[in-house]
Amino acid sequence: MANQKMLGFVHTAQAMPDKRSAGERRQDFNEIYARFSTERADEQASRCSQCGVPFCQVHCPVSNNIPDWLKLTAEGRLEEAYEVSQATNNFPEICGRICPQDRLCEGNCVIEQSTHGAVTIGSVEKYINDTAWEQGWVKPRTPARENGQSVGIIGAGPAGLAAAEELRAKGYAVHVYDRHDRMGGLLVYGIPGFKLEKDVVGRRVKLLADAGVVFHPNFEVGRDASLADLRQKHVAILIATGVYKARDIKAPGCGLKNIVPALDYLTTSNKVGLGDSVAAYDDGSLNAKGKKVVVLGGGDTAMDCVRTAIRQGATSVKCLYRRDRKNMPGSQREVAHAEEEGVEFVWQVAPEGFTGDDVVTGVRAVRIHLGVADATGRQTPQVIEDSEFTEPADLVIKALGFEPEDLPGAFGSPDLTVTRWGTLLVDHRTKMSSLDGVFGAGDIVRGASLVVWAIRDGRDAADSMHAYAQSVKAESLALAAE
Ligand SMILES: Cc1cc2nc3c(=O)[nH]c(=O)nc-3n(C[C@H](O)[C@H](O)[C@H](O)COP(=O)(O)OP(=O)(O)OC[C@H]3O[C@@H](n4cnc5c(N)ncnc54)[C@H](O)[C@@H]3O)c2cc1C
Ligand code: SF4
């Protein structure tokens, strides 16, 4: 009998004793998630207390009207629930699947705070919107009339796509440029298919194309056109290029074969899942099958790598992180899933080098003691003397985080101002960059963040781009009238 609390549908502080094996728990989880049904959605939705201050909504980055759509779901009025849900979120069924709800809406639900376990908001959001797709309620947002102006969007991740939908609905000719062959950004090539099915992303991209958004795949700004070229073509530009420069580790042996960056590994796995043939997967260099895998890092990307390696048939998967469980940046829910699937976490260790002649055979590491807290309140990691050990490995995946690429250099725009971290500097009220009519949204502005924040930024930027384009139009009409 599946235990809801252990399965993440009702999140409580104390899990009930569970005698199932990790494999059995996983199977139960998959079965129950696949069967999240009308009855379960009703039952979960009716647990909402409709409290005076909806903390769930306050902590949802797109300010979803959660109590309203929960109430409508509990009353069986699913089409209305869908209308309310899609009014604030361009990709609600995607957020329902991959938002870290334990840190956002559900984590702040008052029922959760009173230790009765949060309403499973994300699952209900997914259910409402998957039903809307099945029932044919989701329609392309074609504008009532064309407004005669054109905008350019660089980057087809969630920030760029959300802005594209909003601007197209306002009547702009919308052109989206992306260096990849498929649209979706990290939704398609970063986040693994077991968390976010790729057809769920694909049907959204098709919906935008059906609304008249023009996609330019395999188009790299900086290579196929400069930013200045695009500014000539469009009244306003949105830069939504994400952050892709992987943080690296410089240590003895770091050049050995089979030490790979996380995004190369995940992109390959996603391409293979989409039916592409990838040489590095076929020759085994980006394939965990039959290997002892060690993943370095403790964020959500590391969790995606360990869980992908398990699915590819690794003989063992270990995750090395220099702090302890409670201080890791990854979602605790993801860690629990990884453990259930058989991943072993080795806490408080730091890599110092790699062994092997040509191909890696192990990670040399030291154990860490967490010392006194620094100015940021985090305990400082200190190496424990004589604690060196070697963790055997046939494949090492580096998941140490991402930084922005050199945007002004790549775009041929030295006058495009960036912060000292390399993120795009924008006016946070208007989202406009240092260049007139050039806006920014998503990770390239915030640094590595979340899909739901990228959607929020894309929506806000679209509003500002609209206001800007209208002011340009008014100005040119005034000049023509003079
Ligand atoms: C492995 C991984 C797992 C994640 N899991 C989650 C999760 O479970 N939940 C969650 O909320 N968030 C998750 N995130 C974070 C989330 O994916 C990002 O915050 C989000 O995708 C950022 O959206 P974006 O539109 O700003 O950028 P991106 O999604 O990165 O899209 C940027 C797009 O710009 C394109 N581009 C870049 N440069 C150029 C150029 N010069 N010319 C043309 N196109 C260009 C890229 O090809 C890309 O398609 C994850 C991130 C990673 C790496
Ligand atoms: S968008 Fe994310 S944070 Fe907002 S209600 Fe949905 S799952 Fe929760």
Side-chain angles (χ1 to χ4, degrees):
M1 174 67 178
N3 170 356
Q4 275 193 49
K5 291 175 183 165
M6 293 295 287
L7 298 175
F9 285 98
V10 180
H11 314 290
T12 59
Q14 300 107 14
M16 285 162 56
D18 187 345
K19 297 207 168 69
R20 292 168 303 153
S21 69
E24 283 166 343
R25 279 202 301 271
R26 185 72 220 156
Q27 203 176 347
D28 286 345
F29 176 84
N30 284 337
E31 277 176 16
I32 287 203
Y33 200 77
R35 281 193 277 112
F36 194 83
S37 59
T38 311
E39 300 82 60
R40 188 167 291 276
D42 290 357
E43 169 210 312
Q44 276 300 305
S46 62
R47 295 178 63 238
C48 176
S49 66
Q50 300 281 316
C51 46
V53 180
F55 288 104
C56 54
Q57 181 171 3
V58 172
H59 288 271
C60 166
V62 287
S63 302
N64 274 342
N65 290 321
I66 301 163
D68 285 1
W69 46 254
L70 287 178
K71 185 167 187 289
L72 290 164
T73 305
E75 291 169 5
R77 295 158 63 188
L78 270 191
E79 191 166 358
E80 291 160 85
Y82 159 69
E83 290 298 342
V84 178
S85 164
Q86 63 83 44
T88 48
N89 191 347
N90 300 75
F91 312 122
E93 70 283 7
I94 293 179
C95 291
R97 282 169 166 83
I98 48 101
C99 269
Q101 288 102 4
D102 51 344
R103 305 203 302 253
L104 300 170
C105 53
E106 294 178 18
N108 289 282
C109 167
V110 289
I111 304 180
E112 171 75 2
Q113 305 293 327
S114 63
T115 73
H116 289 93
V119 176
T120 58
I121 297 166
S123 299
V124 179
E125 187 177 29
K126 169 185 178 293
Y127 177 75
I128 294 168
N129 289 281
D130 280 351
T131 306
W133 277 97
E134 279 162 29
Q135 297 296 322
W137 301 334
V138 185
K139 297 276 190 302
R141 287 173 60 197
T142 319
R145 76 177 72 85
E146 304 294 330
N147 75 10
Q149 288 177 299
S150 145
V151 293
I153 295 176
I154 312 170
L161 294 182
E165 183 167 51
E166 295 303 312
L167 288 162
R168 182 65 197 132
K170 293 182 201 307
Y172 292 89
V174 178
H175 290 259
V176 179
Y177 304 91
D178 200 289
R179 63 185 173 192
H180 274 308
D181 53 348
R182 292 186 177 91
M183 301 296 131
L186 290 172
L187 299 178
V188 69
Y189 282 142
I191 302 173
F194 59 83
K195 275 168 63 182
L196 175 59
E197 309 91 306
K198 301 305 160 187
D199 55 338
V200 168
V201 182
R203 68 187 179 187
R204 278 284 167 191
V205 174
K206 181 174 180 304
L207 192 78
L208 295 189
D210 291 347
V213 172
V214 182
F215 290 109
H216 300 265
N218 301 310
F219 190 112
E220 180 167 338
V221 178
R223 183 192 63 189
D224 300 311
S226 66
L227 180 60
D229 296 334
L230 294 187
R231 288 179 80 197
Q232 293 287 321
K233 285 191 181 169
H234 304 291
V235 63
I237 298 283
L238 178 66
I239 300 176
T241 47
V243 289
Y244 283 91
K245 193 169 120 196
R247 287 198 194 112
D248 211 349
I249 173 167
K250 292 270 170 280
C254 64
L256 290 167
K257 286 186 191 145
N258 284 9
I259 303 176
V260 301
L263 207 53
D264 289 2
Y265 174 69
L266 292 173
T267 303
T268 298
S269 169
N270 276 317
K271 280 185 180 264
V272 170
L274 282 156
D276 293 355
S277 157
V278 184
Y281 182 83
D282 296 338
D283 72 17
S285 47
L286 288 174
N287 181 353
K289 188 172 169 45
K291 295 198 172 79
K292 292 188 282 293
V293 176
V294 170
V295 175
L296 306 177
D300 286 335
T301 302
M303 297 311 105
D304 288 345
C305 291
V306 292
R307 298 181 69 197
T308 300
I310 291 274
R311 282 163 179 75
Q312 288 181 345
T315 49
S316 69
V317 182
K318 294 194 179 180
C319 181
L320 269 52
Y321 182 56
R322 66 190 178 133
R323 295 177 187 271
D324 58 6
R325 186 188 196 107
K326 70 174 188 304
N327 281 300
M328 72 184 297
S331 153
Q332 291 299 324
R333 198 187 289 187
E334 288 287 308
V335 178
H337 287 159
E339 280 182 329
E340 283 184 7
E341 291 167 7
V343 174
E344 192 185 319
F345 286 85
V346 189
W347 306 111
Q348 293 178 235
V349 296
E352 295 238 299
F354 303 92
T355 57
D357 292 329
D358 178 34
V359 179
V360 71
T361 56
V363 179
R364 282 198 295 105
V366 284
R367 300 203 184 271
I368 296 290
H369 164 72
L370 290 176
V372 288
D374 63 14
T376 67
R378 291 189 92 190
Q379 287 171 285
T380 328
Q382 290 164 355
V383 174
I384 299 174
E385 253 181 64
D386 300 326
S387 65
E388 295 84 4
F389 68 101
T390 299
E391 187 64 58
D394 308 312
L395 175 64
V396 177
I397 304 174
K398 297 174 286 183
L400 303 163
F402 301 97
E403 288 166 2
E405 292 158 295
D406 168 20
L407 209 55
F411 282 6
S413 282
D415 43 355
L416 186 65
T417 310
V418 293
T419 66
R420 65 188 160 111
W421 299 280
T423 48
L424 183 63
L425 184 71
V426 297
D427 174 328
H428 281 282
R429 221 168 17 90
T430 64
K431 309 280 178 205
M432 191 160 0
S433 73
S434 55
L435 299 180
D436 199 40
V438 178
F439 296 77
D443 281 5
I444 190 57
V445 174
R446 290 179 179 273
S449 179
L450 293 174
V451 168
V452 65
W453 278 115
I455 295 170
R456 167 68 191 266
D457 288 351
R459 294 172 68 89
D460 288 351
D463 284 345
S464 282
M465 289 167 78
H466 177 52
Y468 174 82
Q470 292 314 298
S471 71
V472 170
K473 189 184 257 180
E475 212 172 297
S476 55
L477 285 174
L479 277 174
E482 272 175 17

